[in-house]
Amino acid sequence: MNIMDKINREQCKQDVPSFGIGDTVKVYTKIIDGTNERIQMFSGVVIARKGGGIQETFTVRRVSFGEGVERVFPINSPRIDRIEVIRYGKVRRSKLYYLRDKIGKASKVKERRVVSAS
Amino acid sequence: MKGLIGKKLGMTQVYSEQGILTPVTVIEAGPCVVVDVKTAEKDGYSALQLGYGRRKAKNVSKPVMGHFKRSGLENNPPAIVREFRLAEDPQAELGSEIKAEVFDGTEYLDITGITKGRGFQGVVKRWNFRGGRYSHGGGWKRKPGSIGCREWPAHVIKGKKLPGQMGNVQRTIQNLKLVQLRAEENLLFVKGAIPGPTGGIIMIKSARKKGN
């Protein structure tokens, strides 16, 4: 294998849950506060996934106190403790930047019901 | 001073233990063979001549082959030979191998390479001139403008920034931080960019302005 591919691959996390655009996720990040480490949660809608391999990032948007907040996380960052998918979204676009201009009900993403194979 | 010949493999990014992302250039450093040892007594200056890579023996000219024979390299002659000037006479044996682990404990490196050639370029790309405006009757778009006065000094000042060949020159980037060293694979991870294309041959030295 190419050495560069190998370097990139060995740094990528293996246990990233599969989530897509429009899904509502909870991202638990490790925050280093002086000496102690704690975990902070950020939840919202995934509006974009960009890049590939070690460089991949995703953008999570939420509206808190009437103000839109977006955070970009590198998917393979060791500071991300875990990612939980709360709700699957039904969208027809790969980048949901149009949500930035919507308020209220129009900014909601339709839910995709997943039939569990049971 | 420590030196090696290497090859640029490309750029990527790595995380530190704290989760800080650093842009790095991956370099294959060595393994190099000692082709010649130059001493102040014999040659008038101290240097280490290193070889890197492999060449077919039939492709090496006879005079060069004679030089390689002294260090026992007639069966696997190196493709590239470079000399590294040293402050003192080196203690190295002819034909011995030097690997990337010589940089173990070194924090900063100087890297020399040939920059990517960009051909004959104008002043906007080559010297970051602003150029004129394209709208409102602009009239001069990417021209250099005035290059001097008339009666005095009556000639264009030397060193005036003008169009010409850009790139394809040797450049050294000093004080690049060594982020990671993988001795068994002969890989160096250096913070930031280095001159030249991926696959380009570079010279790696310990940083002269950082006290090693």
Side-chain angles (χ1 to χ4, degrees):
Chain A
M1 204 194 331
N2 184 310
I3 297 172
M4 293 304 290
D5 289 344
K6 195 178 133 223
I7 291 162
N8 288 337
R9 207 162 297 176
E10 72 194 31
Q11 284 197 92
C12 289
K13 285 185 182 174
Q14 306 299 323
D15 55 345
V16 178
S18 72
F19 63 92
I21 311 300
D23 295 354
T24 306
V25 292
K26 276 184 177 173
V27 186
Y28 294 85
T29 47
K30 290 176 201 160
I31 307 272
I32 296 155
D33 227 2
T35 52
N36 43 334
E37 194 183 272
R38 62 191 174 81
I39 284 179
Q40 197 183 57
M41 192 268 287
F42 187 84
S43 71
V45 180
V46 178
I47 62 164
R49 273 180 86 149
K50 277 185 173 185
I54 183 69
Q55 303 191 12
E56 185 169 357
T57 60
F58 64 102
T59 307
V60 179
R61 178 184 170 85
R62 66 169 294 156
V63 177
S64 71
F65 304 107
E67 190 65 47
V69 180
E70 282 177 18
R71 274 186 77 175
V72 183
F73 298 100
I75 247 175
N76 294 298
S77 169
R79 287 227 187 142
I80 291 184
D81 190 53
R82 64 185 191 279
I83 302 164
E84 282 172 11
V85 183
I86 308 168
R87 186 173 173 268
Y88 292 99
K90 188 178 172 185
V91 291
R92 304 181 65 161
R93 237 137 283 267
S94 68
K95 303 280 185 286
L96 305 182
Y97 297 140
Y98 69 88
L99 290 180
R100 291 169 178 166
D101 304 325
K102 307 278 186 201
I103 40 167
K105 202 179 172 189
S107 66
K108 289 276 178 285
V109 172
K110 270 193 196 160
E111 186 166 359
R112 179 163 58 92
R113 298 274 175 198
V114 181
V115 183
S116 58
S118 61
Chain B
M1 216 244 10
K2 294 167 243 178
L4 273 186
I5 309 167
K7 190 162 87 174
K8 176 172 165 179
L9 295 181
M11 288 194 75
T12 181
Q13 36 192 338
V14 292
Y15 287 99
S16 69
E17 294 101 59
Q18 291 88 34
I20 296 163
L21 199 52
T22 317
V24 292
T25 307
V26 183
I27 298 163
E28 187 191 70
C32 294
V33 282
V34 178
V35 176
D36 200 1
V37 174
K38 306 226 166 182
T39 56
E41 190 193 338
K42 180 162 61 86
D43 306 282
Y45 64 99
S46 312
L48 207 54
Q49 207 178 73
L50 300 179
Y52 172 73
R54 224 23 209 286
R55 207 167 8 158
K56 279 184 186 163
K58 73 172 177 70
N59 293 342
V60 183
S61 69
K62 275 190 179 172
V64 175
M65 202 51 160
H67 183 58
F68 287 159
K69 262 184 190 159
R70 289 181 53 224
S71 28
L73 299 167
E74 58 267 35
N75 292 323
N76 46 354
I80 288 137
V81 176
R82 294 279 186 279
E83 214 168 87
F84 292 81
R85 288 290 286 261
L86 303 168
E88 296 163 15
D89 286 355
Q91 305 293 325
E93 218 171 287
L94 285 181
S96 62
E97 203 167 62
I98 303 179
K99 289 184 172 172
E101 65 213 25
V102 290
F103 290 116
D104 204 5
T106 309
E107 255 188 278
Y108 291 93
L109 302 173
D110 291 347
I111 290 177
T112 307
I114 310 280
T115 60
K116 283 186 191 172
R118 273 150 240 264
F120 194 100
Q121 292 297 333
V123 287
V124 174
K125 189 181 175 77
R126 192 171 181 222
W127 299 110
N128 299 325
F129 281 19
R130 270 192 216 97
R133 60 180 184 180
Y134 280 55
S135 60
H136 296 280
W140 67 290
K141 293 186 171 74
R142 298 175 71 91
K143 293 177 180 177
S146 165
I147 57 169
C149 313
R150 190 183 173 182
E151 193 164 10
W152 192 89
H155 58 84
V156 177
I157 292 167
K158 276 200 176 170
K160 174 77 198 139
K161 291 170 178 173
L162 287 172
Q165 162 71 31
M166 184 179 174
N168 196 18
V169 285
Q170 178 174 301
R171 286 282 178 269
T172 303
I173 311 285
Q174 293 183 328
N175 306 332
L176 290 161
K177 196 169 185 197
L178 181 58
V179 178
Q180 217 183 91
L181 184 141
R182 296 192 186 177
E184 68 279 6
E185 293 165 291
N186 281 313
L187 294 181
L188 302 177
F189 288 48
V190 168
K191 184 178 175 184
I194 64 169
T198 295
I201 297 297
I202 49 166
M203 281 165 85
I204 310 148
K205 292 174 203 165
S206 51
R208 59 177 290 187
K209 289 186 180 166
K210 291 281 181 184
N212 49 30

